[in-house]
Amino acid sequence: RARAALVTVTASRELRPGSPGGRSPLLPRYPDAAGYPADSAQGIVTNGRPPELSPDGRMRGDTCHLDVVDRFGNVVSATPSGGWLQSSPTVEGLGFALGTRGEMFWLQEGLPNSLAPGKRPRTTLTPSLVLGDDGLPSLAFGTPGGDQQDQWTLLFFLRHVHHEPDLQLALDAPVWHTSHFPSSFYPRTAHPGRVHVERTVGEDVLAALRARGHDVVEEAAWSLGRTTAIRRDPDGVLHAAANARGMQAYAVGR
């Protein structure tokens, strides 16, 4: 409720961390590229991101997502991401490479996401599974897309639950996300107040967002998100929806 009270009709350009459990709000020191004042938080040293190269020297590879359900009700939602595996640096003296999402750790001490033994970094990989009223898996969905994954999937989920029961129509509706929060990836850039919106929402909606102080970036129709989804009804009927964006996803059953 305290966090919800911060949401007003006017867009905020601030970065305001919460204090769960009474903890003191703490921000790392973001590099100037983040879009926030470099002296607004704690000190941090950042390293460059390795290039995304395949063994033959070509840039290739990216995150993908899949959802599978069988006639028995077993459901799998997976978001494999090894696009940077070939260029993950090997830890000197130890002989193993950092995981693909290891770069999301901070080297500054004292942060929730600081590099330390036994810790996992904040990660953008969020394959999602929803349980029905009977406690059994009912809906699975996900998408590639880095930090946009949580935004695109939450948008789809809320739209499907509250407005559009048809999976495909829920996917096909206009999509948006914000780049206000600093990126998980180096150089952790941020654009305070910026929202990216498919222009198919309509000129009236775009104008209303600008009037509220948002830095609106009009994106092309069918350009944001790659969310796909499957659903199993209590009577055993299976549903699947493939996103037309990117022309890569498909739904198949047998």
Side-chain angles (χ1 to χ4, degrees), residues 32-239:
D32 292 339
Y36 296 95
D39 59 355
S40 63
Q42 312 301 313
I44 179 63
V45 176
T46 56
N47 296 315
R49 179 179 176 180
E52 301 165 16
L53 299 176
S54 64
D56 60 6
R58 293 183 297 172
M59 297 183 68
R60 58 181 298 177
D62 207 343
T63 309
C64 59
H65 178 81
L66 60 91
D67 301 298
V68 181
V69 59
D70 66 14
R71 65 183 184 275
F72 303 109
N74 298 304
V75 181
V76 173
S77 181
T79 312
S81 183
W84 301 274
L85 185 60
Q86 302 95 332
S87 58
S88 297
T90 300
V91 181
E92 185 176 356
L94 297 180
F96 61 86
L98 291 178
T100 299
R101 288 306 191 268
E103 66 181 288
M104 294 183 178
F105 277 120
W106 284 91
L107 300 183
Q108 176 187 340
E109 296 184 2
L111 301 172
N113 212 34
S114 298
L115 180 63
K119 291 185 66 175
R120 294 180 295 177
R122 166 186 147 209
T123 177
T124 65
L125 300 174
T126 50
S128 300
L129 186 65
V130 178
L131 304 183
D133 294 335
D134 55 6
L136 298 177
S138 173
L139 178 69
F141 55 94
T143 178
D147 288 331
Q148 282 71 57
Q149 290 184 32
D150 295 297
Q151 300 186 63
W152 293 335
T153 54
L154 178 61
L155 175 62
F156 158 76
F157 177 67
L158 294 177
R159 179 180 287 152
H160 176 57
V161 171
H162 295 292
H163 303 287
E164 181 49 70
D166 186 287
L167 286 182
Q168 191 62 55
L169 293 180
L171 288 179
D172 290 348
V175 175
W176 63 88
H177 69 268
T178 177
S179 53
H180 174 90
F181 193 82
S183 171
S184 296
F185 303 95
Y186 182 85
R188 304 183 191 270
T189 55
H191 304 281
R194 181 168 295 180
V195 59
H196 303 254
V197 188
E198 290 182 340
R199 61 172 58 102
T200 46
V201 297
E203 291 296 332
D204 55 338
V205 175
L206 296 172
L209 289 171
R210 291 190 176 98
R212 295 187 180 195
H214 293 279
D215 175 13
V216 177
V217 177
E218 292 187 38
E219 302 286 359
W222 304 98
S223 63
L224 300 180
R226 300 291 185 269
T227 306
T228 60
I230 57 171
R231 189 180 77 233
R232 184 180 188 275
D233 292 341
D235 59 4
V237 174
L238 305 181
H239 306 258

Side-chain angles (χ1 to χ4, degrees), residues 3-22:
R3 298 298 288 176
L6 298 176
V7 181
T8 68
V9 296
T10 304
S12 172
R13 302 299 176 101
E14 298 181 70
L15 188 61
R16 296 174 287 184
S19 54

